[in-house]
Amino acid sequence: MAGDEWTGEVIMSHERPERTRPAEGWAEDEAADRGAVEAAAAGAAASAAENAEASEGKVAAGSDREAGTDGPAGGRGAPVLPELDVEDLRDRWQRAVAETENLRKRYERQMDDVRRAEQDRVTAAWLPVVDHLELALQHAAADPKAVIPGVEAVCQQAHALLAQLGYRRIAEVGEPFDPAVHEAAQVRQEAGAAPGSVVQVLRAGYGSDRGLLRPAVVSVAAKAQE
């Protein structure tokens, strides 16, 4: 056959034919790629979670400091003090000093008023005694004998006024000597008197519920001589 005549030439190809991979090899590579991708995704998620926990820890620590707590247990830490205004503190201090000084002056005025009122009250109570003494002196020239009864009446009036003011008279004779209310001026022999008893009052004493105003000056009976 003319068309199919063999010329005896061998056609040599310099190109290597492409080798084909089995389907199982492609499946293994794809599985490996998916595993790498999943591992990378898991690592990124874990890193993100760690960063989020660190951020939450910082925020919680800041909240604890603002609230005055320390640590997760809620222990109380040092309180956060507000800023102090020096000028405001100085103004408050000056106001307190001024108010204290005004209070002290007001109390002093009140005490002075009370003292003057008490002096006026006692003086007014003694004015009748003074008036009666003056009347007794006026009648002394006309009737000298009437002076003694008048002076005795004025003396009784004065004793009554002292008792009204709350001062009792200490002038009893025959009582045992009491150093708390008596002052011994002399010790003498007195017939019939108990040794150590008051035999004469040289000056009466006066006392009140608040204490002794002045002691009574007295003479005391001595022990009988053997």
Side-chain angles (χ1 to χ4, degrees):
M1 289 177 49
D4 297 329
E5 184 178 2
W6 179 65
T7 60
E9 297 178 356
V10 179
I11 300 174
M12 300 293 294
S13 175
H14 298 286
E15 298 178 359
R16 298 179 62 183
E18 182 179 359
R19 299 176 60 185
T20 60
R21 287 183 76 180
E24 292 81 3
W26 289 107
E28 292 177 359
D29 292 343
E30 185 177 357
D33 292 340
R34 283 200 301 270
V37 171
E38 290 177 357
S47 178
E50 292 178 357
N51 293 334
E53 291 178 358
S55 299
E56 291 178 357
K58 292 180 180 179
V59 173
S63 300
D64 292 340
R65 287 193 298 269
E66 292 178 358
T69 59
D70 187 10
R76 299 298 300 176
V80 180
L81 298 177
E83 294 185 1
L84 300 178
D85 188 354
V86 177
E87 294 298 331
D88 181 61
L89 292 176
R90 181 181 292 107
D91 180 69
R92 292 184 181 183
W93 172 74
Q94 291 176 349
R95 289 177 181 272
V97 171
E99 290 178 358
T100 303
E101 183 65 18
N102 292 336
L103 185 62
R104 183 185 64 81
K105 292 180 179 179
R106 182 165 62 252
Y107 281 162
E108 287 182 354
R109 290 193 298 268
Q110 291 178 354
M111 291 301 297
D112 291 339
D113 294 341
V114 171
R115 190 178 298 108
R116 285 192 292 267
E118 186 65 17
Q119 290 175 349
D120 293 343
R121 185 179 72 87
V122 174
T123 303
W126 279 101
L127 288 179
V129 177
V130 176
D131 293 339
H132 291 163
L133 284 175
E134 292 177 350
L135 290 174
L137 292 175
Q138 291 177 3
H139 292 83
D143 189 1
K145 295 181 180 180
V147 174
I148 296 178
V151 172
E152 290 178 351
V154 172
C155 185
Q156 293 176 0
Q157 185 181 11
H159 292 167
L161 179 57
L162 288 172
Q164 182 180 352
L165 293 175
Y167 295 96
R168 67 181 184 276
R169 180 178 171 85
I170 304 172
E172 290 79 6
V173 176
E175 291 186 352
F177 176 82
D178 185 359
V181 294
H182 295 146
E183 179 180 339
Q186 60 181 357
V187 178
R188 69 185 188 187
Q189 295 291 334
E190 186 73 19
S197 63
V198 176
V199 294
Q200 183 181 6
V201 177
L202 304 177
R203 188 191 67 187
Y206 293 91
S208 67
D209 296 337
R210 296 181 299 275
L212 184 66
L213 182 61
R214 77 174 188 187
V217 180
V218 297
S219 297
V220 183
K223 292 183 179 180
Q225 294 180 355
E226 295 180 358

